[in-house]
Amino acid sequence: MMQEPGADIHPLDQHRDPFRVDLVRGLAAQVAARYGVDFTRMRRANGYSNATWVGDGIAVRIAHTPVDMAREAALVRALPREVGHPEILGEGTAEGHGWIVTAEVRGQNLHEAWPTLTPAEQRRAIRQLWARSLVVHDATPSLKTHVASHGGFVPAAFGDATAVARRAEAALGLSSAQQSQLHEVIGGYFRAAPVVAQTVNHGDLALMNALWDGEVVALLDFEFAVLGPIEIDLCRLVCEARVSEEGHHVDSDAGAAAVEIAARHMDPVHGPALIHGAAVLDQLRDLDIFLTLDPAEERREDWRPSRLLTDLLDSEGGYLAPLLR
């Protein structure tokens, strides 16, 4: 059972075991000290799957769980410079927790900057975010040995996806029609994915994983990079631009730009099935994470991934509606 978080717990850690939070923070401080940096002078940066602190010229990113980051580090070192990823200064493990230290890059996390941007700046940011990801896609021949065909929200096999789907059905009490649609969408993805071009996707193409300094200057955090259909990155781009923090559809210039990008880059035959399936798998993964937290005071149907998943299963296709017609 998790302890009750204290007042000094960072919002990103509010549902985590405080003991584990303190352990990761302590390990990050040890890593920072190796580079001559006073950890108390560093600030916590955005990012949920790993914990990141930035300051005094470096960024320390450390896994919340005992996992290795060697594969990600190798991929990052192979990325074209145009991606803008900060230079890796070192990587390793501390008590089994992988860590990566990079040079600090001037800029604000794009997710944090987003509410302050004008509509024109948001539209430009979406286009620039996609341009950076295209550099990765185009480098697939030289990068593909560094990534797997599954990871992040992309399960290894159809059976793994259906197992997650069944947990969602039970947790949300999906209707028979919704269940049927859920399995049809997942099946459509797994039927189409092997017959289209396989691209190195960022795998988590979110505003949170980019830096903004009047323009998008860097694409970050490649831990979920995956070899698969380009629709893996497209579904996230559209979601970031067309969905609010609470999980509601937003009409905006940025959203229109994301839809236009997706329509241009989707596979001409299998694109709708792939982007729909990837989006559903994305929300299933997030819902599975939420279910492990299971805060008793919240209603599950109000969770953002629950709302997005059920919207994606309606007759219009939720935030993907313009691309599924």
Side-chain angles (χ1 to χ4, degrees):
M1 179 70 69
M2 288 188 183
Q3 302 172 34
E4 187 67 26
D8 58 342
I9 293 292
H10 192 279
L12 290 170
D13 296 327
Q14 61 181 331
H15 294 303
R16 299 187 189 279
D17 181 346
F19 174 81
R20 304 294 301 180
V21 169
D22 288 345
L23 172 64
V24 168
R25 183 181 178 86
L27 295 175
Q30 292 175 25
V31 172
R34 297 188 191 187
Y35 291 82
V37 172
D38 180 354
F39 188 70
T40 63
R41 295 168 57 88
M42 303 184 79
R43 66 186 183 279
R44 182 72 179 270
N46 252 328
Y48 186 77
S49 56
N50 294 302
T52 303
W53 286 267
V54 181
D56 278 4
I58 69 170
V60 175
R61 192 162 141 259
I62 186 163
H64 283 295
T65 57
V67 295
D68 194 342
M69 289 185 171
R71 178 190 286 269
E72 181 185 354
L75 171 62
V76 168
R77 290 189 173 103
L79 290 173
R81 292 185 62 185
E82 294 82 0
V83 175
H85 194 287
E87 177 190 1
I88 290 184
L89 303 178
E91 57 93 10
T93 59
E95 297 188 26
H97 293 251
W99 56 264
I100 294 177
V101 173
T102 62
E104 183 178 6
V105 174
R106 177 178 174 177
Q108 183 181 8
N109 184 279
L110 181 55
H111 180 268
E112 295 174 351
W114 191 256
T116 71
L117 304 186
T118 67
E121 287 175 325
Q122 290 181 346
R123 180 176 64 247
R124 189 167 76 250
I126 287 296
R127 288 175 174 161
Q128 292 176 347
L129 182 60
W130 182 249
R132 298 256 175 191
S133 69
L134 275 181
V135 174
V136 180
H137 301 161
D138 291 344
T140 291
S142 63
L143 299 178
K144 62 183 180 181
T145 58
H146 297 293
V147 299
S149 60
H150 60 277
F153 64 80
V154 182
F158 176 69
D160 298 322
T162 55
V164 179
R166 291 193 183 99
R167 289 196 290 274
E169 291 168 2
L172 300 181
L174 296 183
S175 69
S176 58
Q178 288 173 320
Q179 292 179 38
S180 177
Q181 175 70 345
L182 176 58
H183 288 277
E184 177 55 35
V185 170
I186 293 173
Y189 175 87
F190 278 93
R191 287 190 296 271
V195 301
V196 300
Q198 302 297 291
T199 298
V200 172
N201 289 267
H202 179 277
D204 191 14
L205 195 62
L207 303 180
M208 191 176 290
N209 290 328
L211 291 180
W212 174 263
D213 189 25
E215 62 180 359
V216 174
V217 296
L219 189 55
L220 311 172
D221 295 0
F222 280 77
E223 64 184 303
F224 298 127
V226 64
L227 188 67
I230 198 171
E231 287 81 2
I232 292 170
D233 274 351
L234 284 170
C235 82
R236 290 303 305 270
L237 185 77
V238 175
C239 183
E240 291 292 298
R242 286 176 56 84
V243 177
S244 72
E245 283 287 302
E246 296 74 28
H248 298 293
H249 172 238
V250 175
D251 283 315
S252 66
D253 290 347
V259 168
E260 187 274 329
I261 289 169
R264 187 167 72 250
H265 289 277
M266 281 166 49
D267 184 87
V269 176
H270 303 288
L274 288 167
I275 199 167
H276 200 184
V280 164
L281 292 171
D282 186 8
Q283 299 312 320
L284 282 175
R285 191 278 300 267
D286 280 359
L287 178 60
D288 227 26
I289 293 172
F290 272 56
L291 288 173
T292 64
L293 305 177
D294 196 23
E297 72 276 9
E298 296 188 47
R299 295 189 307 167
R300 290 175 176 177
E301 63 268 25
D302 288 337
W303 290 347
R304 185 176 190 269
S306 305
R307 185 175 292 122
L308 292 182
L309 178 62
T310 53
D311 284 350
L312 287 166
L313 298 178
D314 71 20
S315 59
E316 296 294 322
Y319 65 84
L320 291 178
L323 297 164
L324 303 180
R325 295 168 184 160

